[in-house]
Amino acid sequence: MLLPQINDPQQLKSLSNQELSTLAEEIRRFLIEKLTATGGHLGSNLGVVELTLALHYCYDSPRDKMIYDVGHQAYVHKILTGRQDRFDSLRKKDGLCGFVKRSESEHDVWEAGHSSTSLSAAMGMAMARDLKGGDNKVIAVIGDGALTGGMAFEALNHIGHERRKLMVILNDNEMSIAPNVGAMHNYLSKIRSDRHYLRAKDEVEGLLKKIPAIGGRLARTAQNVKDSLKYMMVPGVLFEELGFTYLGPVDGHDVEKLIDTFHQADNVSGPVLVHVLTTKGKGYKPAETDFYKSHAISPYKIESGQSLKAVGNPMYTEVFGQTLIELGREDKRLIAVTPAMPGGSGLFPFAKEFPDRMIDVGIAEQHAATLCAALAMEGMKPVYAVYSTFMQRAYDQIVHDICRHNANVMFAIDRAGFVGADGETHQGVYDIAFMRHIPNMVMMMPKDENELRHMMKTALEYNDGPIAYRYPRIDGTGVDLDAELRSLPIGSWERLRPGDDYAVLACGPMVQVAEEAAEQLKREGIQAGVVNARFLKPLDSSMLLELAHAGCGMIVLEEASQAGSLGSAVLEYYAEHEIYDARVHLMGVPDIFVEHGSIREQRQQTGLTAEAVAGRIKAMKASSTFAYKTTSTS
């Protein structure tokens, strides 16, 4: 066994090509076995084993900077850089991160959970190197899916203009999370189909030099002939015109060819793009045949790849997808738009029934938002289905193109709140804060999956501008689903439990936490009310006034950034109405990035538990009693 002996990438340099290939198979077995217990990004990592080995064989990390786009394909990199003994802790609290993490290792030079950032980072590191007079290598590994992101094109344009020495490795497996779409995907498909391009260029030059009498003159123009040939042969033209030297396509599972190609790239003075063809899920049949499920998999049976997740209530995402079909049958104007997340957003069933009304724009959140605005202006009813964390990327378009135009766009914001093992780059805790202050916006969050259905109906029937409903990445509560959908009065809250002295204003899954806290307090003789604050904007003005005038002590409970979210909105409301004696306590996500772990652990870390809520109310009660006694004594 070679793998147990590898604790540092420098050890690879003494291995033969055959030993590297043997090590690749050992790494695959290691990943397949370890991820059965932890889950994680299986398919993408099985596809880059040889590529990662070749990189660490040819270059000297961390002196040479290896930048992984998104970082979900860096498990092999982690194994080779001294972390294989910690893989049992992958994606668990205080364990290895599922993405590249700078605090984990000196070999992790760039961390990101969102796609298309690697090329900009590589350019920045190459510029810093040149300004400091260094000579280290800079290598960015980006997938063909991430290359559909606009930020990647911006970086390609800048790199080609500056012509600084760096290498871009295009890891082309024809996939992101879902099948890739768009013109770039089609262009790369043409390149994949013609693997003889580079050999043809070299052969033409050799033949020209052998022609008697005129061979010398033609040899002097051989470079021009080769350049013109590329237009005839198609492959690589786009990248060459952008200023890159294009090498490939090369078999991404042939270590020897990869090493030879990287040596060729090192001899080029400017930017090089190496086009590597890989197979997602390579070496594990369940991952190769079901690319979507193997992308980010929960613990599974090694024989079949079948998930070990216990069967429970339908997830909010599933309820969203099925309800969207119902609404689509009702209103032919309804269109689903998603940025490369048809599966994760629960849209595959909708796409099957309404293929012409399902739009996947690729990894292009900004384009998706502006597209929705234009669709709405032309009388359609677009649903922008997006994860909270990815919607951050479309902030300008939400402000400038949707809300400023008061376009009737519906936002279906998935993964709102904590996301568990994906960690800090994916937490959906900021969208309330960055959306509620935008004029014309309406925001909702359901207490359960049945209320989500009614909110979707509300959004469809709302015609006065943009409206959003956000929902978490968890199973539903198991409530019965109403057969008939109805609209909710805009800005209306729901009093679930009476309480004269104390009330918890909660939204989303925090409503269940508030109910548990109220039950605990009831057993101790304290009556605490629970309010389903389902509208985040506008607020329920009449209920807020009623609570304040009754002298009720309030806790605003939310699985969202405490700064700027619902609690801030409540305080702003009372300040605006000059109600200065309202007793309001905020319980939300503090001013930190919450790292990976289970959702339960993340709630415990941030104090968003029933016990913490009950404790806060008991502290409020003790404080008010003490204040009363002090006042009466004096």
Side-chain angles (χ1 to χ4, degrees), residues 81-101:
T81 52
R83 285 170 274 180
Q84 60 176 290
D85 61 339
R86 297 180 58 200
F87 251 74
D88 290 332
S89 71
L90 183 71
R91 291 160 52 89
K92 297 179 181 178
K93 189 176 187 300
D94 300 324
L96 287 181
C97 180
F99 301 93
V100 175
K101 185 81 170 167

Side-chain angles (χ1 to χ4, degrees), residues 23-247:
L23 180 59
E25 294 310 309
E26 291 182 17
I27 290 173
R28 281 200 172 87
R29 287 197 297 272
F30 178 90
L31 286 171
I32 293 167
E33 291 171 3
K34 290 295 182 181
L35 268 60
T36 58
T38 65
H41 291 91
L42 178 63
S44 54
N45 285 284
L46 292 176
V48 297
V49 177
E50 290 85 359
L51 172 58
T52 311
L53 282 169
L55 281 171
H56 278 290
Y57 179 89
C58 291
Y59 302 105
D60 297 319
S61 175
R63 182 177 181 275
D64 294 329
K65 309 300 180 184
M66 298 181 194
I67 301 165
Y68 293 89
D69 202 276
V70 182
H72 67 295
Q73 77 279 47
Y75 291 4
V76 185
H77 165 78
K78 288 176 183 266
I79 291 169
L80 298 176
T81 52
R83 285 170 274 180
Q84 60 176 290
D85 61 339
R86 297 180 58 200
F87 251 74
D88 290 332
S89 71
L90 183 71
R91 291 160 52 89
K92 297 179 181 178
K93 189 176 187 300
D94 300 324
L96 287 181
C97 180
F99 301 93
V100 175
K101 185 81 170 167
R102 283 171 59 88
S103 62
E104 261 185 27
S105 170
E106 63 177 350
H107 297 280
D108 292 5
V109 300
W110 178 258
E111 61 183 70
H114 294 178
S115 75
S116 313
T117 68
S118 61
L119 303 189
S120 298
M123 183 57 172
M125 291 185 185
M127 292 182 74
R129 174 202 61 202
D130 294 346
L131 289 168
K132 294 187 294 185
D135 62 355
N136 61 288
K137 305 293 196 309
V138 177
I139 306 109
V141 181
I142 186 169
D144 51 320
L147 202 62
T148 65
M151 186 176 174
F153 283 95
E154 294 173 21
L156 284 173
N157 182 56
H158 187 209
I159 293 168
H161 172 73
E162 289 277 345
R163 301 198 60 80
R164 294 179 187 271
K165 186 173 179 61
L166 61 82
M167 181 164 65
V168 173
I169 296 175
L170 173 55
N171 174 30
D172 181 0
N173 60 20
E174 303 188 64
M175 293 291 302
S176 50
I177 295 177
N180 287 326
V181 298
M184 176 56 74
H185 167 66
N186 295 333
Y187 175 70
L188 293 175
S189 295
K190 291 181 181 178
I191 298 179
R192 292 184 206 103
S193 66
D194 191 349
R195 304 189 184 192
H196 306 292
Y197 165 60
L198 289 176
R199 188 176 69 186
K201 288 203 302 182
D202 294 337
E203 288 178 353
V204 166
E205 182 179 9
L207 287 170
L208 288 171
K209 289 180 178 178
K210 293 177 181 178
I211 299 175
I214 62 170
R217 280 180 291 162
L218 286 178
R220 287 193 295 271
T221 61
Q223 185 61 47
N224 292 334
V225 174
K226 286 166 66 181
D227 287 345
S228 62
L229 179 66
K230 70 189 177 190
Y231 290 98
M232 297 164 55
M233 302 295 290
V234 175
V237 173
L238 172 62
F239 304 114
E240 295 266 358
E241 289 303 302
L242 283 171
F244 287 78
T245 297
Y246 173 87
L247 299 178

